[in-house]
Amino acid sequence: MTGGAAGVAASYAALLALAAVFDEAAGQMRGWAAEGARTLLDPDLLASALLSPGTFAEAEAAVLVATTGPDGVGVESLGWEVDARALRLLVGVLEAADAGAAEAVAAVEHQVGRTVGWTLGATAPAALPAAALVAGRIALTVPDLPARAAPLAETWLTEHPDEVEHLVAGGGGFLEGLWDGLTPGAPAGPLGLPLDLADAAAAAGLLARLYPGRPARTTLLPGVRVESSTTAPRSVADLVDHARQLSELSGPDHPELNGTLELQTLTGPGGDTRHVLLLPGTDDMTTLPWTEDGDVRDMGTNLRLVGGLDNSYADGVLDALAQAGVGDDPVLVVGHSQGGMLAADLLASAAEHGVPISHAVTLGSPTGQLDGFPAGSHVLSLEHRGDVVPLMDGVANPDSVEQVTVTFESRAGGEGVAARHGFEAYAEGAALVDASTDPSVHAAVRELHRAGFLGAAEGTEVTSRVFQVVREPQP
């Protein structure tokens, strides 16, 4: 578990808050010291000196000791102020160390990727023909080699998540090196235009521009619903099960329902209203550049989300919220895979879009590419260890007060890449989260209840609308 109420960032925030308390105490002590100076000059006290010089001297001495003496409040205030500055310095040093370590690792990842890319680019003219010849001979002698190799590759990917994340993190450097290596004698690539791709997000943004990204069209689908549509969620496990049911609407056997999403509305007995927006993941993983069809949840959208670019899926979801008349009612967004990426992105940019999204639950989704979330917002991210999809941004989710990341281990569903990313595993992870006593996780689940998204009051009315987002036809 990282982040949340008991995370490192929260600890830093608590130390800074303690420093502010120390500063306040020091200021109050200085005020008392000033009050002592005023007491020494009090006319009534000065007048008493004529009547009782001895007790006057004792009083003056006592006030001086209490205010400016070695143990007086004036001197003590300096100690509290020094402690406050020491705490701020400590937090600053720790944050700088964290940032420095992250930058050092990122620099190594980038350089390794660049070296590999340059080597491949520079040797491609000679290596590709030889590789093709060798591959042809292997195919003739071991015709089932791809079928044998695929399970081994899957096993390596699922059992080495840290290495996968490092490889993805070097993606920007890899593309830089590959481009430059095509012309090893002349830097900056074949066109004399150098690439500047600092990380995986920048690389994804570059590749995303190969997809046109046509506008989206959002349509209400009356009468379409799933089993959980009319039941208020009571737990994180209920949210995951609802997301699973909705995702099955656009399964491989139902491509005509690709792009479906659901807005569940909970209206309490007192008229208070909140919404749960459910966003499934990618419908089409095979979309090649310049070949977009009507499926808005495709590879181009994945790249745009990782690269921080506008995308048609987000436009369609915002249109659905507008059509539903959400207004200022609080919204929880629950998303699996690409849907979780969009859920986090919508929450991060809620103020920009003018939508009241305050909470998000993501399942197997890359979210580390975002710059952070608004203060006061809440993100609960579940990541199954061995699921490679959350690693596709090349960075771990940062430890922040707003986001709690739970990495869990499950054998549900199987061992392959698809199984590790599937709902069976995330259902088990959700059950673990609901039962967790970890302070950060428990606080995150309790917050979903406090906000009324889980465990709705008796008498709550539950309604649902299913929308479909597709790309406009090619002109």
Side-chain angles (χ1 to χ4, degrees), residues 112-129 173-186 189-190 195:
V112 170
R114 182 178 176 84
T115 301
V116 173
W118 191 93
T119 301
L120 290 177
T123 60
L128 284 179
F174 177 82
L175 290 182
E176 282 184 15
L178 185 64
W179 179 253
D180 289 352
L182 293 176
T183 55
L195 298 181

